[in-house]
Amino acid sequence: MKRPYTITIAFLLMGMICLSFVGLPVSKKVLADVTVRNTSINPFDQITVYVNIGETVYILIQSSSPETKIIYISGIEEIHYTGQILNFQYNRTFSDRSGFLSISISSDNPAPTRIYAYVEGGNEVRYIFYTAAALLILTGVVLEILIRRHKFPYLEEEIRSISIVGIVIPLFLIVQFFFRQSEIGYFVNYDYSPGILITRYYFVTLHIEAIASQLLSRFGYRDVLIYSILGLSFMRSLYQKRLKVYRTMPISTLKQYFARVSIWTGISWVFFTLYFLIGGFSRNGRFPGYGTFFSVHIYAYFLVSIVIINLIILHVNVLDTLQMTRLSILVVPLLILLSSDGTISPIPMFEYFHPVNWNVEYFPVPISALILKQLSYTLLLLLYGVLNRKRSGFRTGS
C-alpha cells in the first residue's frame, strides 16, 4: 500500500494535536484539591487555576477551625474577604474572557484548610477546537485524494522532498515546549488609554498590530517559523540525485516554482494555525473574548498569514537567485531574527514584527489598507520569482 504524502500526515497530526489540547467533552474538570496550613508569616502562598472563556469556576475553601482568615482571589476578578470561616464558596461564570485566578489565604492562627476548585461548561471553546481539528483532518484527506487522482508531477516531487520525521515531529516538540512553558498564553493584554503627556486613543488597527506583533515576536511563532523555513529548505537540498535529474531533463520552471511555494506555504501555515488556536483557546492560553476575536484577532490572523506567505516566497526567491547554496538557506531566517529583535530596520514584510510604542501617538491606516499593502508585497515577490525563473541562466535543478 502506498504511504500517505507528507503534507497529508502533517494535516492529520495537527488535527490530532488540536484534539489533544482540548480533550474529550467533560461536564466537570477539577483544577485544585489541596490542603494547606495558612500562616501570616508567609501569606502569599498561592494556588493558581485557569478559567477558560465560557466556563464557570467553583471555589470551595473549608477550614478545620473557625479562625479569622484573609482570603484573596486575584486575576480575572479580585475578591477580598476577611472573617471567620468554616466554608467559603465562590463561583463565577466568565463569559467574556479567560485567564488565571490566584487563591491565597493567610491567618494568625494556622489551621489546615482545604482548597477545592473546579470548572464546568466552556463548550464554545471546545467546539472551536473540534471544528478546527475536523477541518485540518478533512483538508489532509482531500489533498491526499486530489494528489493521488490527478498526479501533479511537481507538486508530488515537492511533497516527497519533505521528511515527516525531520520536520513535523521536531516541530511538534518545539510547539509543545513553548506552550508548556507559557503561563500567560500568546495573546497580549492590550491597553492604549489616554496618557499624561500624550493623549492616546483606542484604535482597532493598533490593537490588530499589537496582536500581530505578539504572534510574530520573540518567543512566539517567529521561532517556529524560522525552524520551518530552515527545515524545509535544508531537507530539500539533501535530495541531490533528484536535483541532478532536474538539470538533465526539460521541466516547467514556473510550475515547479508555484508547486514549491504552495507546499512550503501550506506546511508553515498549518503550523501557524495550530499555534494561533492553542495560544488563544487552550487551557493556559489567554483569550479576551469573542468581541475582540471577530473585530481584532481574526484580522491579525489573516494579516500574519499573508506575512508568512511573503516570507516563504522571499525565501524561495533567495534560494533561486543564489542557486541553492548552503549559505542561502540562512539568509531569510537571519533577516527574520535580526528584524524581530530590532537589530536592523524592518523591511516591508517585517514591519509588524515590532510592538506598538505606547509612548508615541499613532495615526493608523485602515485595516483594509494594511492587508492590501501586504498583498502588494506578495504580487511583487511573485513577479520577481517568475521573472527570475524565466531568465536564460536559471538552472532548473534548484
Side-chain angles (χ1 to χ4, degrees):
M1 182 179 178
K2 195 175 181 180
R3 70 176 181 86
Y5 292 110
T6 301
I7 193 169
T8 303
I9 299 175
F11 273 91
L12 294 178
L13 279 178
M14 296 306 105
M16 289 186 287
I17 291 171
C18 265
L19 291 177
S20 71
F21 271 92
V22 68
L24 297 175
V26 291
S27 58
K28 175 180 176 181
K29 181 176 181 62
V30 177
L31 303 179
D33 187 3
V34 296
T35 300
V36 298
R37 288 186 61 85
N38 44 277
T39 68
S40 58
I41 299 175
N42 188 16
F44 301 109
D45 286 337
Q46 295 181 341
I47 294 175
T48 303
V49 298
Y50 177 82
V51 184
N52 214 335
I53 185 172
E55 291 180 337
T56 301
V57 62
Y58 298 88
I59 299 174
L60 174 64
I61 300 176
Q62 297 175 317
S63 177
S64 60
S65 61
E67 303 292 345
T68 300
K69 290 178 171 56
I70 301 174
I71 300 175
Y72 187 54
I73 301 175
S74 62
I76 306 178
E77 183 179 65
E78 294 190 359
I79 300 293
H80 193 191
Y81 173 85
T82 302
Q84 293 185 345
I85 64 163
L86 283 173
N87 289 283
F88 173 84
Q89 296 186 17
Y90 166 84
N91 62 281
R92 173 74 186 277
T93 300
F94 292 97
S95 58
D96 59 343
R97 59 180 299 193
S98 62
F100 292 89
L101 283 176
S102 295
I103 309 164
S104 60
I105 308 172
S106 62
S107 175
D108 292 331
N109 298 298
T113 303
R114 182 195 183 203
I115 301 176
Y116 180 66
Y118 66 94
V119 290
E120 291 182 340
N123 290 328
E124 297 90 345
V125 175
R126 294 191 184 94
Y127 293 151
I128 290 175
F129 267 98
Y130 295 145
T131 302
L135 288 175
L136 288 171
I137 294 173
L138 180 62
T139 302
V141 173
V142 171
L143 284 175
E144 182 75 13
I145 295 174
L146 287 176
I147 296 172
R148 284 183 182 273
R149 177 172 295 180
H150 295 283
K151 298 291 183 182
F152 304 107
Y154 305 109
L155 198 64
E156 186 172 352
E157 289 291 317
E158 294 300 325
I159 291 174
R160 294 207 178 278
S161 70
I162 302 172
S163 169
I164 189 67
V165 176
I167 300 295
V168 177
I169 294 179
L171 193 57
F172 168 68
L173 296 177
I174 292 175
V175 171
Q176 285 278 16
F177 172 78
F178 280 140
F179 284 108
R180 298 307 180 190
Q181 295 296 316
S182 170
E183 295 181 354
I184 61 173
Y186 286 87
F187 284 164
V188 296
N189 290 327
Y190 180 82
D191 183 14
Y192 195 67
S193 56
I196 298 176
L197 300 177
I198 300 176
T199 303
R200 299 177 297 183
Y201 302 94
Y202 173 81
F203 290 106
V204 174
T205 300
L206 289 180
H207 196 164
I208 293 172
E209 289 186 28
I211 300 299
S213 171
Q214 179 70 7
L215 289 170
L216 285 171
S217 66
R218 292 187 62 196
F219 310 113
Y221 182 73
R222 181 204 70 171
D223 303 279
V224 179
L225 179 62
I226 288 175
Y227 173 82
S228 300
I229 290 177
L230 285 172
L232 288 168
S233 53
F234 180 73
M235 295 302 299
R236 185 67 181 86
S237 69
L238 291 180
Y239 282 73
Q240 292 298 322
K241 290 183 179 180
R242 187 167 294 159
L243 297 180
K244 291 178 181 178
V245 171
Y246 276 158
R247 292 192 181 103
T248 59
M249 59 182 289
I251 69 169
S252 173
T253 56
L254 293 185
K255 287 183 179 180
Q256 184 198 36
Y257 175 72
F258 286 110
R260 184 171 301 174
V261 168
S262 300
I263 294 302
W264 288 14
T265 299
I267 293 292
S268 301
W269 175 79
V270 72
F271 290 145
F272 169 63
T273 301
L274 177 70
Y275 181 95
F276 179 82
L277 290 171
I278 296 174
F281 297 104
S282 68
R283 192 158 299 280
N284 293 343
R286 176 162 293 183
F287 184 56
Y290 286 106
T292 57
F293 178 77
F294 291 108
S295 63
V296 174
H297 291 82
I298 195 66
Y299 288 102
Y301 170 79
F302 284 124
L303 183 61
V304 174
S305 296
I306 300 173
V307 172
I308 291 172
I309 293 173
N310 290 340
L311 292 174
I312 294 296
I313 299 175
L314 175 65
H315 187 60
V316 175
N317 288 349
V318 168
L319 299 181
D320 283 349
T321 303
L322 300 180
Q323 294 293 271
M324 240 3 212
T325 62
R326 293 293 186 268
L327 182 61
S328 65
I329 293 175
L330 302 175
V331 173
V332 174
L334 185 60
L335 285 176
I336 296 175
L337 186 66
L338 295 178
S339 180
S340 58
D341 284 344
T343 305
I344 61 175
S345 298
I347 61 177
M349 65 280 302
F350 294 92
E351 56 194 324
Y352 302 109
F353 278 64
H354 298 271
V356 176
N357 184 348
W358 306 119
N359 296 319
V360 176
E361 177 69 7
Y362 283 87
F363 301 94
V365 296
I367 300 169
S368 57
L370 290 177
I371 296 178
L372 288 175
K373 192 176 182 181
Q374 288 295 323
L375 289 176
S376 66
Y377 300 147
T378 306
L379 294 177
L380 289 174
L381 289 167
L382 286 174
L383 178 62
Y384 173 84
V386 170
L387 294 176
N388 180 56
R389 286 205 164 217
K390 291 178 73 69
R391 62 185 171 90
S392 59
F394 181 78
R395 293 180 301 175
T396 57
S398 299

